[in-house]
């Protein structure tokens, strides 16, 4: 009887110390892979949580082709489990006043990136449960405040990784907002 109790206690202790299974983090960019930009984004994600499952949707979107980026998300997102976090960076407006957002679909998937039309097809097909503007004063890679040209690394990969790892809740991303670049407004959003 005692050996069985010890075995049960040991098994319970092992199960309690297992890491929380993080959500998948999926990257899509127009960066290509010839330089270190994608690797830097992956490094930021692993810096948040070295156990994250980071996958590449594609990095071969032609420069600034928002429509093709939107289509690749539309083509693949429903094959990923609920809770998956997509970081999408096709951003001709980097360094401008465009919003940085996280969209939550009705199906429970998250899309992190610029509010420039990249999430239009997803919003139309899957519906918008909520949209939040990223509060960069709280959700930005430490030491990157002076950088305005690499939001993919400094804001989007960082926020996406924190969300996927459970380091922040969706509500901690920032305030609710309305999209400015969609062809169909998310009128049924909670915000």
């Amino acid at each position: 009887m005692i050996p069985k109790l010890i075995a049960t206690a040991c098994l319970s202790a092992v199960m309690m110390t297992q890491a929380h299974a993080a959500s998948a983090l999926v990257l899509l960019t127009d960066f290509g892979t010839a330089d270190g930009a994608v690797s830097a984004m992956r490094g930021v994600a692993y810096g948040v949580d070295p156990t994250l499952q980071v996958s590449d949707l594609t990095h071969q979107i032609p420069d600034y082709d928002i429509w093709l980026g939107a289509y690749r998300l539309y083509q693949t997102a429903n094959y990923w489990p609920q809770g998956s976090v997509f970081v999408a960076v096709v951003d001709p407006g980097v360094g401008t006043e465009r919003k940085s957002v996280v969209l939550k679909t009705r199906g429970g998937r998250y899309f992190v990136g610029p509010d420039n039309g990249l999430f239009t097809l997803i919003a139309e097909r899957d519906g918008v449960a909520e949209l939040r503007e990223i509060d960069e004063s709280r959700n930005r890679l430490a030491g990157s405040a002076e950088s305005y040209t690499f939001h993919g690394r400094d804001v989007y990969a960082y926020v996406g990784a924190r969300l996927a790892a459970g380091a922040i809740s969706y509500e901690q991303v920032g305030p609710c907002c309305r999209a400015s670049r969609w062809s169909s407004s998310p009128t049924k959003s909670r915000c």
Side-chain angles (χ1 to χ4, degrees), residues 167-190:
I168 59 171
S169 69
Y170 181 64
E171 293 72 24
Q172 291 173 309
V173 165
C176 286
C177 67
R178 294 256 180 230
S180 63
R181 301 281 181 140
W182 288 336
S183 58
S184 64
S185 174
T187 55
K188 295 183 181 176
S189 171
R190 290 190 322 166

Side-chain angles (χ1 to χ4, degrees), residues 4-49:
K4 187 175 181 181
L5 287 174
I6 292 172
T8 302
C10 289
L11 182 59
S12 293
V14 167
M15 291 179 74
M16 288 175 44
T17 61
Q18 288 181 341
H20 164 71
S23 298
L25 181 66
V26 184
L27 306 177
L28 173 144
T29 73
D30 62 352
F31 298 164
T33 54
D35 63 20
V38 173
S39 180
M41 290 176 65
R42 290 169 82 59
V44 166
Y46 290 130
V48 168
D49 183 347

Side-chain angles (χ1 to χ4, degrees), residues 129-167:
E130 199 170 324
L131 182 72
R132 291 189 173 266
E133 183 172 1
I134 297 170
D135 178 352
E136 292 185 27
S137 69
R138 294 185 343 214
N139 292 304
R140 186 180 183 105
L141 182 65
S144 71
E146 299 300 317
S147 172
Y148 295 98
T149 58
F150 201 176
H151 280 146
R153 175 196 63 205
D154 300 336
V155 178
Y156 304 144
Y158 182 69
V159 169
R162 293 181 77 211
L163 197 56

Side-chain angles (χ1 to χ4, degrees), residues 63-133:
D63 290 348
Y64 308 129
D65 191 340
I66 293 169
W67 187 90
L68 186 57
Y71 181 71
R72 291 294 176 239
L73 288 170
Y74 174 87
Q75 187 180 43
T76 59
N78 279 347
Y79 295 101
W80 287 86
Q82 182 178 355
S84 294
V85 178
F86 295 82
V87 172
V89 188
V90 179
D91 192 12
V94 68
T96 67
E97 293 297 316
R98 59 94 185 95
K99 293 178 184 175
S100 295
V101 298
V102 181
L103 178 148
K104 179 180 179 182
T105 66
R106 289 191 189 119
R109 293 178 187 88
Y110 300 88
F111 295 83
V112 181
D115 179 22
N116 65 2
L118 195 53
F119 305 141
T120 300
L121 298 176
I122 291 293
E124 289 174 351
R125 181 191 65 202
D126 300 343
V128 177
E130 199 170 324
L131 182 72
R132 291 189 173 266
E133 183 172 1

